[in-house]
Amino acid sequence: MSRGCEPLALDKAIVAHLKAHSGLFAIVGNRIYPGHNTSTKVVYPYIAYRRVSNPRQYVCGGTEIWARPRYQFDCCDDTYDGAKDVGDQLLAALDNKGHTVLGSCKETYTIESCMSKDDVGPIYVASADDPRRGMWVRVIDFIIQHNE
């Protein structure tokens, strides 16, 4: 029996937290999607997110488990400046802060680190086989540590 956050509960809690951030909500509104936005009529800007990994650390001699899921967020827009602005607001909402999860698990999670892959800014996606083709994307990863 799981005592901690189920992945879906944590996903919902993160999305709820992002939507509650006024600066981010002013830009993307409710356009925060799991996976890739595969709609044929994309409305910019938006964020797509996915859980990339979910390592767990067990406390020696105890029953506590610390989960450290890594989430990747694609901050997407049809302009360079738009993708950069979405990423800036995402960082403001999550970077190096402890937050209370609003999901049913009622755990506390802490942003452990921000690993931004956009050292020089958003990138233009031109690859024909990428569902993000034709847009600017700023990719930002977070590790979110919480007790299970």
Side-chain angles (χ1 to χ4, degrees):
M1 180 166 105
S2 175
R3 299 175 336 176
C5 286
E6 296 298 325
L8 188 55
L10 183 57
D11 289 359
K12 287 180 179 180
I14 292 168
V15 170
H17 176 78
L18 295 177
K19 288 180 179 180
H21 186 271
S22 61
L24 186 60
F25 189 81
I27 296 174
V28 300
N30 289 315
R31 295 183 304 274
I32 302 174
Y33 308 108
H36 291 290
N37 180 1
T38 57
S39 171
T40 56
K41 295 185 180 189
V42 174
V43 176
Y44 295 107
Y46 72 88
I47 293 175
Y49 68 93
R50 68 199 135 286
R51 187 182 290 220
V52 178
S53 65
N54 193 24
R56 288 172 164 74
Q57 181 178 14
Y58 295 86
V59 176
C60 186
T63 58
E64 285 190 349
I65 303 169
W66 285 95
R68 299 176 64 218
R70 179 177 146 217
Y71 281 83
Q72 185 173 78
F73 296 87
D74 292 347
C75 303
C76 305
D77 196 27
D78 55 354
T79 68
Y80 174 93
D81 289 339
K84 183 182 179 312
D85 291 345
V86 173
D88 289 347
Q89 290 302 313
L90 178 71
L91 289 168
L94 291 178
D95 197 20
N96 295 320
K97 296 180 176 126
H99 305 287
T100 301
V101 170
L102 303 175
S104 60
C105 59
K106 297 182 181 173
E107 295 281 345
T108 299
Y109 70 91
T110 302
I111 303 303
E112 183 177 295
S113 63
C114 168
M115 303 180 297
S116 178
K117 292 185 173 180
D118 64 301
D119 297 330
V120 294
I123 58 168
Y124 184 76
V125 180
S127 174
D129 60 346
D130 192 319
R132 303 168 300 174
R133 181 179 185 190
M135 66 182 78
W136 289 91
V137 180
R138 183 175 179 183
V139 179
I140 301 173
D141 290 6
F142 285 96
I143 295 174
I144 299 174
Q145 180 171 300
H146 63 92
N147 187 293
E148 286 192 339

